[in-house]
Amino acid sequence: TGHCWGYGKQDGPSSWYENYPVAQGNRQSPIDITPHQAVHEPSLGPIVLSYDQCTSINISNNGHSVVVEFDDSDNRSVIEGGPLDNPYRLKQFHFHWGGKGSNGSEHTIDGIGYASELHLVHWNAVKYKTFGEAATAPDGLAVLGIFLETGDDHRWLHMITDTLYMVKYKGSITDFKGFNPKCLLPSSLHYWTYLGSLTTPPLHETVTWIILKEPITVSEKQLGKFRMLLFSGEDEDERMRMENNFRPPQPLKGRKVRSSN
Ligand SMILES: Cc1ccn(O)c(=O)c1
Ligand SMILES: [Zn+2]
């Protein structure tokens, strides 16, 4: 009964609570991060990304974003360390972005957004048997968030933007093998971390967020290719450009944001 939700006037973030009451919960995401109020904890170690054996499988348009899925049948690509008590297995990554010239990140920093935000979604395969089970457990998911700012071309992002024409319509999917997302990481892995939720329905409050402080740079031209994707399917007569697919910041409700050094 996955109700249809979206980012439009009628079905957008301000109406999600009607079908997903947890939207008004106490650990919703994204949030506005105020670096000066983040608690610096020396006990928070570095995050460790082991993506070398990762195997991407496909890239698809799910009607909300463009998603690259990975083979998560073993612990070949994991995130660990930092606030995490276990290694979490890479399942997929996707993006959120704005319209031409407007920002589209989900998290903001002192009220300022970035052009886009990349989410690498991982699940706790030590404690849970499937992604679905982990997605409903408070310590089930870990999402690594990376901000994208506009500037020069990103050297490797073309590998993704060059395939977007093949997944223009909702429900389209195509092979996408051999892509290693470590090429999308900034040079520093310094981060903020807090306990939050999925930023799309069902908005489960099951995500340990790890947001990298350093953005990566992509060009306006590369970002523009994301905007040629459509929310709508090939058979629908109204063509709705996929843009502004971000949820705005949610109340902090007393949560602490911690900072690595
Ligand atoms: C699992 C999941 C689904 C949607 N989004 O936006 C996320 O960041 C994570
Ligand atoms: Zn996301």
Side-chain angles (χ1 to χ4, degrees):
T1 63
H3 304 90
C4 65
W5 57 271
Y7 292 96
K9 192 91 200 69
Q10 297 300 319
D11 61 1
S14 56
S15 72
W16 291 351
Y17 77 94
E18 294 166 8
N19 289 315
Y20 305 93
V22 73
Q24 298 177 334
N26 295 323
R27 59 172 277 191
Q28 288 291 292
S29 293
I31 59 169
D32 179 49
I33 295 169
T34 46
H36 276 72
Q37 285 162 349
V39 178
H40 172 247
E41 287 186 6
S43 64
L44 258 189
I47 55 164
V48 179
L49 297 170
S50 311
Y51 285 166
D52 280 336
Q53 304 307 319
C54 80
T55 32
S56 62
I57 300 172
N58 60 49
I59 186 168
S60 65
N61 175 336
N62 64 10
H64 311 299
S65 183
V66 57
V67 187
V68 173
E69 292 267 1
F70 288 81
D71 170 1
D72 61 348
S73 58
D74 65 28
N75 260 10
R76 68 182 73 184
S77 43
V78 296
I79 183 172
E80 54 198 316
L84 305 172
D85 294 338
N86 298 130
Y88 284 62
R89 198 178 285 183
L90 178 63
K91 166 84 178 154
Q92 53 104 321
F93 69 76
H94 62 272
F95 299 81
H96 303 266
W97 60 90
K100 189 164 173 30
S102 67
N103 284 331
S105 67
E106 298 210 299
H107 292 87
T108 53
I109 308 298
D110 285 332
I112 308 296
Y114 282 88
S116 172
E117 188 171 329
L118 162 60
H119 289 161
L120 293 127
V121 180
H122 310 73
W123 60 285
N124 187 338
V126 168
K127 286 184 68 174
Y128 307 105
K129 284 194 289 299
T130 63
F131 173 81
E133 187 190 341
T136 59
D139 61 349
L141 302 182
V143 182
L144 182 65
I146 301 175
F147 292 120
L148 280 64
E149 66 178 4
T150 48
D152 295 336
D153 266 355
H154 187 280
R155 163 189 309 272
W156 303 107
L157 192 69
H158 71 87
M159 294 179 68
I160 292 173
T161 55
D162 288 349
T163 66
L164 295 180
Y165 76 95
M166 295 198 258
V167 288
K168 186 180 179 68
Y169 299 101
K170 175 173 70 172
S172 49
I173 184 167
T174 192
D175 275 1
F176 193 69
K177 293 194 170 34
F179 183 81
N180 186 331
K182 77 175 182 183
C183 67
L184 298 177
L185 299 175
S187 50
S188 163
L189 292 183
H190 289 167
Y191 62 89
W192 295 288
T193 185
Y194 77 97
L195 297 180
S197 73
L198 302 186
T199 61
T200 61
L203 299 169
H204 294 317
E205 297 187 325
T206 59
V207 179
T208 298
W209 281 94
I210 298 168
I211 308 287
L212 296 188
K213 296 183 179 181
E214 183 186 334
I216 60 170
T217 302
V218 306
S219 66
E220 191 50 56
K221 189 162 157 284
Q222 289 176 316
L223 262 191
K225 292 188 175 171
F226 284 88
R227 295 192 200 101
M228 46 73 74
L229 294 166
L230 297 181
F231 282 125
S232 36
E234 194 164 3
D235 55 343
E236 295 175 52
D237 43 18
E238 192 183 359
R239 301 167 75 91
M240 316 232 289
R241 192 192 298 263
M242 188 178 277
E243 55 187 24
N244 297 307
N245 56 349
F246 64 92
R247 187 190 195 192
Q250 301 301 307
L252 194 56
K253 302 256 176 115
R255 283 174 286 177
K256 196 169 68 162
V257 177
R258 294 185 292 161
S259 164
S260 75
N261 57 358

